[in-house]
Amino acid sequence: MKKYSIVLFDLDGTLSDPKVGITKSVQYALQKIGIVEENLNKLETFIGPPLQVSFREIYGLDDVQIQQAIAYYRERFIQIGMYENKLYQNISSLLEYFRKEGYQLAIATSKPTVFAEKILQYFNLEDFFDLVAGSNLDGTRSAKGEVIAYVREHFGEVNIDQFIMIGDRKYDIVGARENQMDSIGVTYGYGSLDELSDVQATYIVNSVNELQEIFNRLG
């Protein structure tokens, strides 16, 4: 019997590298509300957390400004940004491995579900996943712990020790722990080894190939 049977994946920074699309869409939103940010690298911190959290914590926006900034962000992201994106190497073969081995797969992202679905379709990955769970467009269910809880509920009576969450940021690991779920932190995304170690990921890997190796070892 496999140690795990249901594998949850974060999307941004775990399956694909969305840096160009996200940072340019954030830059566009900031410019529209009067903030000029030339350094796209500084905006990498927006990859992972809910947008409202990042706009508040990094730029000190109030609730009204946040809603306006998110609206501007989506204006560009829907048209251009979600497609300024690329899969990490060997992701398709990893997902094929999971399917061949009989795992059930889910997306657990803070990105709105409708955008996550479109991105998976763009990469022709939608058929690998039994569930795509993200936030709602109104900003609710945006915390990673809430998204993971929703995935748990979807799979009904499956024991929690059969689930594992894979992600690149502390939010993924903390959200998994809030749901008593094991986790794998990946350092090839946007979270550092220190970040993932500090929040006590169950396992930490440095590449997509190492992800498959972990599951091979666990049986």
Side-chain angles (χ1 to χ4, degrees):
M1 183 176 178
K2 294 182 176 66
K3 181 171 176 61
Y4 304 106
S5 62
I6 299 175
V7 182
L8 286 65
F9 283 92
D10 176 45
L11 180 55
D12 295 337
T14 302
L15 293 181
S16 71
D17 183 351
K19 177 182 175 178
V20 174
I22 288 179
T23 57
K24 286 191 173 183
S25 296
V26 171
Q27 183 185 54
Y28 172 85
L30 290 171
Q31 185 176 20
K32 294 281 269 186
I33 62 171
I35 299 172
V36 176
E37 180 54 72
E38 300 289 352
N39 185 0
L40 290 179
N41 289 332
K42 182 178 177 181
L43 301 179
E44 283 184 9
T45 52
F46 278 81
I47 302 172
L51 284 172
Q52 54 265 46
V53 171
S54 296
F55 278 125
R56 187 185 308 279
E57 291 184 352
I58 299 169
Y59 287 96
L61 304 189
D62 62 30
D63 290 343
V64 173
Q65 291 172 315
I66 287 169
Q67 291 308 309
Q68 186 61 74
I70 289 174
Y72 286 136
Y73 171 91
R74 289 177 178 168
E75 192 173 274
R76 184 186 186 281
F77 188 78
I78 290 170
Q79 295 297 319
I80 305 170
M82 75 169 72
Y83 307 113
E84 295 172 316
N85 199 347
K86 58 184 180 181
L87 284 183
Y88 287 112
Q89 189 172 12
N90 297 326
I91 284 295
S92 294
S93 60
L94 176 70
L95 297 177
E96 288 169 1
Y97 160 82
F98 279 124
R99 272 307 197 194
K100 181 181 176 183
E101 294 296 317
Y103 292 91
Q104 291 182 281
L105 305 181
I107 293 290
T109 176
S110 293
K111 185 183 296 300
T113 304
V114 63
F115 296 162
E117 290 172 340
K118 288 181 181 296
I119 290 166
L120 292 174
Q121 290 164 8
Y122 174 69
F123 288 124
N124 294 315
L125 298 181
E126 68 271 24
D127 291 340
F128 287 109
F129 293 94
D130 300 277
L131 176 67
V132 179
S135 62
N136 299 314
L137 284 170
D138 64 4
T140 56
R141 203 177 70 203
S142 61
K144 189 53 69 81
E146 295 174 322
V147 178
I148 293 172
Y150 176 82
V151 176
R152 281 191 62 183
E153 292 170 9
H154 174 84
F155 288 100
E157 299 303 313
V158 179
N159 196 293
I160 191 59
D161 62 11
Q162 289 290 297
F163 291 78
I164 190 164
M165 174 73 204
I166 302 173
D168 69 312
R169 297 298 311 277
K170 63 183 180 182
Y171 310 96
D172 303 305
I173 310 308
V174 171
R177 192 166 64 243
E178 288 171 354
N179 286 275
Q180 297 78 54
M181 188 180 296
D182 284 354
S183 60
I184 302 176
V186 301
T187 63
Y188 59 78
Y190 287 89
S192 67
L193 177 60
D194 285 345
E195 176 180 332
L196 297 169
S197 299
D198 286 348
V199 291
Q200 300 178 332
T202 312
Y203 312 94
I204 297 177
V205 302
N206 301 309
S207 70
V208 173
N209 289 340
E210 284 184 29
L211 270 176
Q212 184 170 330
E213 290 170 8
I214 276 192
F215 285 89
N216 281 332
R217 290 200 307 271
L218 294 173

